[in-house]
Amino acid sequence: MKRAVMAVAALSLLAAGCGGAVRVDPPTPRGTAATACAALTDRLPRTLDGAERVPSDPPSPYVAVWGEGEIALRCGVPRPAALDPTQQVPEINGVPWFADPARPSLFTALIRDGYVEVTISPRHQAASVLLDLAAPIKAAFSA
């Protein structure tokens, strides 16, 4: 329950971004997930589905934001609470993505050593965003 509250708090803060840095609560990954997440930061695109990358507040190597919080990535989040371990999830470019049924704008990449959460506003095409993020995520987590 605590994880769900933290995720909801992080997502609600995205809407507060109006110019400048966008407020997003950073996760606190450990071990190999932290290493992979730090590597992911440098691999992410400057522009995603037409939105430019902007700073997050507080700054974190585990967070990336595009637009005014229209797209936000948090690397090293806990396993999604709604994910059934036997559930089949679609893959995009070799990355399995869990779409949270309770929050249609929230997608989580299910990587062997960690989880990468992406929130996508309705202004953007989720499939396009996830496709553009798949290669950097795979590269960072396989390095």
Side-chain angles (χ1 to χ4, degrees):
M1 181 66 170
K2 181 179 177 185
R3 282 187 238 162
V5 171
M6 289 172 49
V8 169
L11 296 175
S12 67
L13 291 172
L14 290 174
C18 296
V22 176
R23 175 91 177 113
V24 178
D25 288 334
T28 54
R30 301 196 193 306
T32 56
T35 303
C37 288
L40 176 59
T41 300
D42 295 332
R43 299 173 191 266
L44 293 170
R46 302 296 321 151
T47 303
L48 195 53
D49 199 36
E52 293 292 320
R53 192 159 167 195
V54 298
S56 64
D57 177 38
S60 171
Y62 310 125
V63 172
V65 180
W66 292 265
E68 291 185 355
E70 298 162 24
I71 303 169
L73 178 147
R74 296 181 346 119
C75 188
V77 297
R79 179 185 171 279
L83 176 64
D84 177 345
T86 62
Q87 183 175 0
Q88 296 291 321
V89 296
E91 283 192 16
I92 297 176
N93 239 13
V95 174
W97 289 96
F98 170 70
D100 191 320
R103 294 172 281 170
S105 63
L106 180 63
F107 302 87
T108 305
L110 309 175
I111 308 299
R112 179 179 39 125
D113 293 324
Y115 301 98
V116 180
E117 178 183 276
V118 181
T119 306
I120 306 169
S121 85
R123 290 183 229 163
H124 296 278
Q125 295 295 318
S128 176
V129 171
L130 300 178
L131 178 65
D132 289 346
L133 291 174
I137 290 171
K138 275 181 18 182
F141 277 85
S142 64

